[in-house]
Amino acid sequence: MRTTAPSGRVASKRVLVIGGGSVGPGWGNGKAAAVLYAREGADVVVVDRSADAAQATVELIHEEGSRATAHIGDMTDPQAAQDAVAATVSSLGGLDILHFNIGISTRGGIVDTALEDWRKVFAVNLDAAFHVTQAALPVLEQDGGGAIVYITTLAAHLNGPYAYVGYETSKAALSRLSRSVAAEYAARGVRSNTVVPGMIDTPHVHAHVATSGDGAAVAQARAAQVPMKRQGTGWDIAEAALFLASDAAGFITGVDLRVDGGMSILMGNAAI
Ligand SMILES: NC(=O)c1ccc[n+]([C@@H]2O[C@H](COP(=O)([O-])OP(=O)(O)OC[C@H]3O[C@@H](n4cnc5c(N)ncnc54)[C@H](O)[C@@H]3O)[C@@H](O)[C@H]2O)c1
């Protein structure tokens, strides 16, 4: 659970969270981020391709007395990405922070990854980010600047125990996209950074391992690989994103902030 007290770090900011639902009960990275931005005073638009998932996050935010609306759309569709940004501008009057959370993976090395899977993963992890970023940047710039936070993965930077070549490569490209945006827009008032999760205990991971045996054993094995001897939570990722999105990080752009309990310290080890 979250341990810090709200202090209005993004008060009155207009935030668009892409993938702010969750694939299951509990706290995913995107859901925790949407709730945290709202707790910290922002107006949040929660975008998800699942109406139920988006609505569940919005209801949580309302129950806490904060402000949010849901917008449904599949961000692999360029027009849907334009519509999500337009809906945000029409309901909030503009945009200050774009948080891009969505990401999927299929397991496999280079030879055994089907082209169809490769394309599916790239469509969500990279193309959708491109569509949303293209739609959001003119609005962010016009509104006097802002911040973008992309959620990548440690596997974009280091090799893990399993091959997920489409996931690793698409997320590495997402990190590069973030730095391209940072370079192009540094003098135009828009900052762009990534949060790089290590082993995080989320409903997405629960769903992923459910097909591969004993969930508790998998959780224990994941935690054992982390120098801090625990998996991270959606709140760890949300807190890092909140910092990068807030004015406290006003001189920070083009960085990849690893949130991994020290996993990167280990030689030859990494995880998704
Ligand atoms: N849990 C971990 O250990 C871990 C590690 C590294 C990186 N990550 C990253 O964290 C992110 C996922 O975190 P989460 O816990 O919020 O996952 P999640 O899958 O529970 O939530 C993501 C939401 O995005 C929505 N979504 C998926 N594709 C979409 C699309 N095309 N258009 C609109 N909405 C879409 C889903 O419906 C879901 O509600 C991913 O980017 C993943 O790569 C997680």
Side-chain angles (χ1 to χ4, degrees), residues 18-24 27-31 47-50 53 73-76 101-104 124 128 151-154 167 171 197-205 222 272:
I18 305 295
S22 175
V23 293
W27 290 103
N29 297 326
K31 188 186 200 173
V47 171
D48 210 289
R49 67 182 170 191
S50 156
D74 183 338
M75 297 300 107
T76 60
N101 172 69
I102 64 176
I104 59 168
V124 174
I151 306 302
T152 65
T153 174
L154 199 53
Y167 183 61
K171 289 286 195 171
M199 297 279 195
I200 313 299
D201 188 14
T202 59
H204 182 104
V205 170
R222 282 170 65 89
I272 59 157

Side-chain angles (χ1 to χ4, degrees), residues 20-130:
S22 175
V23 293
W27 290 103
N29 297 326
K31 188 186 200 173
V35 169
L36 186 54
Y37 286 123
R39 278 183 193 171
E40 292 289 339
D43 282 286
V44 180
V45 173
V46 177
V47 171
D48 210 289
R49 67 182 170 191
S50 156
D52 288 349
Q55 206 48 49
T57 301
V58 166
E59 274 165 26
L60 272 171
I61 291 172
H62 289 170
E63 278 165 23
E64 294 191 356
S66 302
R67 300 175 304 277
T69 52
H71 179 88
I72 314 310
D74 183 338
M75 297 300 107
T76 60
D77 172 5
Q79 187 56 52
Q82 291 285 344
D83 292 347
V85 172
T88 306
V89 172
S90 124
S91 71
L92 304 182
L95 179 66
D96 303 299
I97 294 167
L98 169 65
H99 178 109
F100 185 88
N101 172 69
I102 64 176
I104 59 168
S105 61
T106 58
R107 198 154 156 179
I110 293 166
V111 172
D112 51 342
T113 292
L115 179 59
E116 191 190 352
D117 286 340
W118 172 271
R119 287 191 172 142
K120 201 164 67 181
V121 167
F122 266 73
V124 174
N125 296 3
L126 188 62
D127 296 356
F130 176 65

Side-chain angles (χ1 to χ4, degrees), residues 249-267:
F251 200 49
I252 299 176
T253 196
V255 307
D256 297 310
L257 177 56
R258 295 182 185 188
V259 182
D260 65 357
M263 195 106 194
S264 309
I265 303 163
L266 301 178
M267 193 162 63

